[in-house]
Amino acid sequence: MESRKGYIWRNACLLLAGVLHVLGSRGPLDLEIARKLTHPEREDIVLLEWGYDREVQEIAIEIQTPLASSLALGLGSDLSINKTDFVVAGWNEHNETYFYDAHIEGDWPPVKDKLQDYVLLNLSRNDTHTIMRVWRKWFTCDRHDNEIENDTVRVMVVIGDGEQLELTEHNTFRKSMFFLEPLYHPTYPEVMIPYDFRLKDFLIPDVDTTYACTFLPMPRLSKKHHIVRYEIIEDPDSIGIVHHILIYFCANNTIITSEIGDCYGDDSRFSQCMSATLGWAVGGEPFDYPEDSGISIGTEMDPQYVRIEIHYSNFENKQGLKDSSGIRIHYTPELRAHDCGTLMTGVFTFPMQFIPPGCEEFRNYGICDTRLMEEVLNETIPDLTVTTYLLHGHLTARSLRVMHYRNGTLIGSLGEDKKYDFSFQQVRGLPNKIIVKMGDIIVVECTSNTMDREGVTFGGPSSLNEMCIGFLFYYPVLPIAACWSYIDIHYIAQAIGLERADSIMDAILNVNAFEWDDESKANAQKAVMEVTHLAMAERREGNRVNETLLLPTISLPPPYHCEEDSSES
C-alpha cells in the first residue's frame, strides 16, 4: 500500500504537471477582465477576474470572495442549476485543502465529475477574503462541462463556513457575463466632454408597457467632434422598470416638440427619426467605440436634435414613480479615422412574427439584402466594416445569430449568442473586424422557447411580445436606419390548414385563435423556412425600398468535434 508521504508526493507532482501544462501552452494567462458580483441583501461583493487565449482556447478564472472555508464556482448555460458546471474547493476540519470538478445530479450538493477538467492554480485566504484561481480548456468534451463560446455565461458563486457547502439565497452571488469579450483596453483622448440625453421626472404610467418619446437638442458645437463612449444614466427609483433606451438621430428638417408622448401612437412626429444610433438595454454596460472610429457630431450634416425612446415595463403597475433616466455620451474634438453608424437588422417589429405556444425551440428569421441600401440611397456604397454588435430579443428568446452570406454561401457570423439572457443585453465586440460588401445578405435568426405560454406570442413592443433584432456598429456611416424583413403571414396560415384571410390582420387573428398540436407546430416551422419575405431598406427619414426574397440555406451551427465523451464510461 502506498504510504501517505508517497501519496502526497505523487499528487503534488500531478498538480505541478498540470500547472506546467497550463504555463507551457502559451505562457501564463493574464487576468485582463474583471466584474463584480453583488448581492441584493449583502454589502460585500465577489470579484471575478479572467483572461483567455483565443488561439489555444484556454481560460483562467479567479474569484475573490468574502472570507469562506468552502466555495463553489458555477458556470451555467441558463438559469437551471442542473445545467451548471461547478468547481468546488475549500479546507476541511484538518485545514487540508480539497478541490474538484463537479456537476449536479438532481439536487444540491454538486457531485464529483469522473473527468477532472479544471486545474487549480491558487487557493488561499487571509483575514478578510478567500481567493481561488482555476484554469480549463474552452472545450473539454465532458458532457458535464459547459463549453466556453461566444455566448452568455451565468456565473454563480456559493460560499460557506463548513466543508458541507449549503446552497441558500444569502450565500449565493449571481451574474451573467460574456467571457470572450475582446481584450480591449481603450485609450481615452485628453479631452472628453460629457453630455446627457435624459428625461426629467417623467411620471411612469401604471401599465405594463409604455414607450415614451421626446426630442432633445444635441450639444451646440462650432466644429466636428466624435462621440467615443456612452453609458446609461439609471434613475435608482426605476431600476428594473426601464427596459431599454434608444437615441435616434434626426434629420435637420425634423418637426420637433418638447412634449413627451407615445412613440408609436398617433403623433406622427415621433416616426420621423428612424436611425437608432445609441442604445442601451437591460444589463448593458458602458460602451467604448473602437479607437479608429466614433460618431460624428457638430457638422452641418450632423443632427441638431435626437429622439429619445424609453421603454418602461411596469408589470407590477406601480404608481407615482418618476424617472430621470437617459444616456450620457462622451465626445471629443480629437477626431478619429472613421465616422461610424448603427444598422438595425432582423425582423420588422410587427405581429407577422409569431411563436406558437408550447415550443421548446421555434426559429424566426429576418433578411437584409444590402443591395437595397444602394437602391434607397441611389448611389454606390463602399464596403462596410462591422466592429461590434448588440442582439435584442425579449422573454422567449434563447438564441440569436446574425449570419453573413455572400453569393448564397454562409461565410461567417456578425454576432451570436446561443445562451441569450434577456437581462444581460450587452454591446459586444467582434474578435476581428468583418467586411460586408454590397450584395451580401445578412440573416438574423432568433430561437424562442414558449413552453410556459398558453397562447401565441407575436412580434411587438411589449416585453411579453417578441423582437428579433441585431444592431450592427460599422463604418463608414450611411444615412440608413434599418435593413430588415417580414414574412407573408397568409402562407403560414395556409400551411397549418387555415383558409386564406381577407387581410393581414385577419390572418393574424386566425393564427392567434388556432388550436396548436405538434404536427401544426412542425408545419409552421417548415413554412417559416420557405416563406417569402418582404425585405426593406429604410433611410433615416423613414422612406424605404423593398423586394421579395427567400431565405438562403440555413444550417444549425456545428458543435465542437469531440473524439469521444469518456464521461459516460
Side-chain angles (χ1 to χ4, degrees):
M1 181 178 295
E2 184 178 30
S3 68
R4 178 172 176 80
K5 181 178 180 181
Y7 173 82
I8 294 173
W9 173 252
R10 178 172 60 83
N11 281 278
C13 290
L14 288 174
L15 177 59
L16 178 60
V19 174
L20 288 175
H21 169 72
V22 174
L23 300 182
S25 58
R26 293 275 298 183
L29 294 173
D30 295 329
L31 306 182
E32 301 186 66
I33 311 171
R35 294 292 188 275
K36 295 178 181 178
L37 283 72
T38 59
H39 194 289
E41 299 175 358
R42 302 177 61 141
E43 294 183 358
D44 49 16
I45 64 168
V46 169
L47 177 64
L48 188 144
E49 297 180 276
W50 72 94
Y52 66 84
D53 188 309
R54 189 174 292 275
E55 184 175 336
V56 297
Q57 298 183 336
E58 299 170 352
I59 188 169
I61 306 170
E62 180 175 288
I63 56 173
Q64 181 183 111
T65 76
L67 184 61
S69 59
S70 58
L71 64 163
L73 167 65
L75 308 182
S77 58
D78 59 24
L79 295 177
S80 169
I81 194 172
N82 289 310
K83 294 184 180 179
T84 301
D85 168 27
F86 286 95
V87 284
V88 181
W91 291 264
N92 63 22
E93 59 183 352
H94 304 295
N95 205 34
E96 299 168 329
T97 62
Y98 58 87
F99 171 81
Y100 54 91
D101 184 0
H103 65 279
I104 297 293
E105 287 189 356
D107 297 318
W108 188 267
V111 297
K112 188 175 182 179
D113 290 0
K114 178 178 180 180
L115 298 179
Q116 293 293 293
D117 298 299
Y118 285 80
V119 174
L120 179 65
L121 301 180
N122 176 41
L123 181 62
S124 59
R125 54 186 171 177
N126 54 34
D127 293 338
T128 59
H129 291 87
T130 297
I131 299 173
M132 178 178 70
R133 183 184 296 194
V134 298
W135 169 96
R136 60 162 282 187
K137 291 182 177 293
W138 294 2
F139 304 96
T140 65
C141 293
D142 181 345
R143 68 182 179 89
H144 295 309
D145 294 339
N146 284 309
E147 298 171 340
I148 304 293
E149 297 184 274
N150 291 306
D151 304 320
T152 296
V153 179
R154 276 77 166 178
V155 177
M156 177 178 177
V157 176
V158 185
I159 60 175
D161 295 327
E163 187 174 355
Q164 299 301 319
L165 185 61
E166 296 182 359
L167 178 65
T168 69
E169 282 301 316
H170 184 71
N171 72 346
T172 303
F173 296 76
R174 293 182 174 90
K175 186 177 180 65
S176 288
M177 300 186 186
F178 177 45
F179 276 166
L180 300 188
E181 62 180 85
L183 302 175
Y184 168 58
H185 303 287
T187 301
Y188 295 115
E190 292 186 9
V191 178
M192 289 257 291
I193 306 165
Y195 186 85
D196 293 350
F197 300 114
R198 63 192 304 179
L199 301 185
K200 185 171 178 57
D201 293 330
F202 172 69
L203 182 62
I204 302 173
D206 57 346
V207 296
D208 62 5
T209 299
T210 299
Y211 276 76
C213 276
T214 191
F215 296 91
L216 299 171
M218 292 288 284
R220 296 299 180 229
L221 303 171
S222 60
K223 64 177 182 179
K224 181 175 179 176
H225 289 64
H226 270 146
I227 300 172
V228 296
R229 176 182 171 89
Y230 69 85
E231 59 197 322
I232 178 70
I233 306 169
E234 286 189 284
D235 189 320
D237 293 334
S238 51
I239 290 177
I241 295 177
V242 176
H243 168 272
H244 77 240
I245 304 175
L246 291 174
I247 302 295
Y248 294 83
F249 277 21
C250 298
N252 288 333
N253 59 353
T254 300
I255 302 171
I256 65 167
T257 175
S258 60
E259 299 174 357
I260 300 175
D262 181 356
C263 301
Y264 302 101
D266 296 331
D267 193 334
S268 61
R269 290 174 295 185
F270 295 131
S271 64
Q272 298 172 96
C273 312
M274 301 301 296
S275 185
T277 304
L278 311 172
W280 173 91
V282 180
E285 300 175 345
F287 173 63
D288 295 290
Y289 286 91
E291 293 186 1
D292 62 352
S293 61
I295 298 289
S296 175
I297 60 174
T299 76
E300 291 183 359
M301 300 298 295
D302 293 324
Q304 297 177 11
Y305 281 85
V306 302
R307 173 168 70 91
I308 184 172
E309 169 186 303
I310 302 186
H311 174 190
Y312 298 96
S313 293
N314 188 6
F315 289 117
E316 296 180 8
N317 304 122
K318 295 180 179 180
Q319 298 181 344
L321 287 179
K322 292 185 177 181
D323 178 61
S324 297
S325 297
I327 284 180
R328 174 171 296 143
I329 62 172
H330 299 266
Y331 63 93
T332 177
E334 301 172 34
L335 299 181
R336 297 181 167 185
H338 303 287
D339 297 337
C340 59
T342 307
L343 178 67
M344 184 160 52
T345 64
V347 179
F348 181 76
T349 303
F350 199 70
M352 270 87 78
Q353 178 190 0
F354 76 96
I355 307 105
C359 289
E360 189 167 352
E361 290 186 348
F362 193 88
R363 301 191 302 277
N364 276 289
Y365 295 90
I367 310 175
C368 165
D369 182 351
T370 58
R371 292 174 299 182
L372 293 179
M373 296 197 294
E374 288 192 321
E375 185 176 335
V376 74
L377 295 179
N378 194 27
E379 63 182 57
T380 301
I381 295 176
D383 294 345
L384 305 181
T385 300
V386 179
T387 61
T388 45
Y389 63 94
L390 171 63
L391 305 175
H392 183 65
H394 286 175
L395 294 171
T396 76
R398 297 295 183 270
S399 171
L400 287 87
R401 292 195 294 162
V402 185
M403 295 173 282
H404 184 196
Y405 288 82
R406 185 169 295 156
N407 300 323
T409 301
L410 178 64
I411 62 171
S413 170
L414 295 168
E416 62 184 2
D417 188 348
K418 298 188 294 298
K419 301 167 187 174
Y420 178 77
D421 182 355
F422 171 79
S423 299
F424 180 53
Q425 300 184 46
Q426 175 189 14
V427 180
R428 300 180 179 181
L430 292 163
N432 298 293
K433 298 173 183 177
I434 297 176
I435 301 300
V436 173
K437 297 180 177 292
M438 292 304 101
D440 290 355
I441 299 292
I442 298 169
V443 177
V444 180
E445 174 192 79
C446 295
T447 303
S448 290
N449 180 303
T450 55
M451 295 299 291
D452 61 345
R453 299 204 174 186
E454 297 181 357
V456 178
T457 300
F458 288 100
S462 169
S463 297
L464 297 177
N465 299 135
E466 258 312 330
M467 288 188 178
C468 179
I469 295 174
F471 294 93
L472 302 179
F473 296 66
Y474 71 95
Y475 61 77
V477 63
L478 300 172
I480 294 285
C483 184
W484 48 4
S485 73
Y486 62 84
I487 60 174
D488 179 1
I489 190 68
H490 294 293
Y491 183 88
I492 306 294
Q494 289 178 296
I496 59 176
L498 294 171
E499 294 183 1
R500 185 175 180 86
D502 293 332
S503 68
I504 288 176
M505 289 310 302
D506 285 340
I508 291 170
L509 292 173
N510 291 342
V511 169
N512 187 45
F514 185 70
E515 294 291 332
W516 294 90
D517 57 23
D518 290 344
E519 181 180 1
S520 58
K521 294 173 193 175
N523 289 338
Q525 183 68 88
K526 180 177 181 294
V528 165
M529 307 299 292
E530 60 191 21
V531 67
T532 299
H533 286 244
L534 184 70
M536 302 170 288
E538 298 185 68
R539 293 180 63 106
R540 287 179 175 175
E541 300 83 0
N543 55 310
R544 66 176 63 152
V545 297
N546 56 61
E547 68 174 351
T548 55
L549 282 177
L550 295 174
L551 279 177
T553 302
I554 302 293
S555 59
L556 297 179
Y560 181 81
H561 176 70
C562 294
E563 294 299 328
E564 64 175 316
D565 182 354
S566 55
S567 63
E568 297 284 0
S569 57

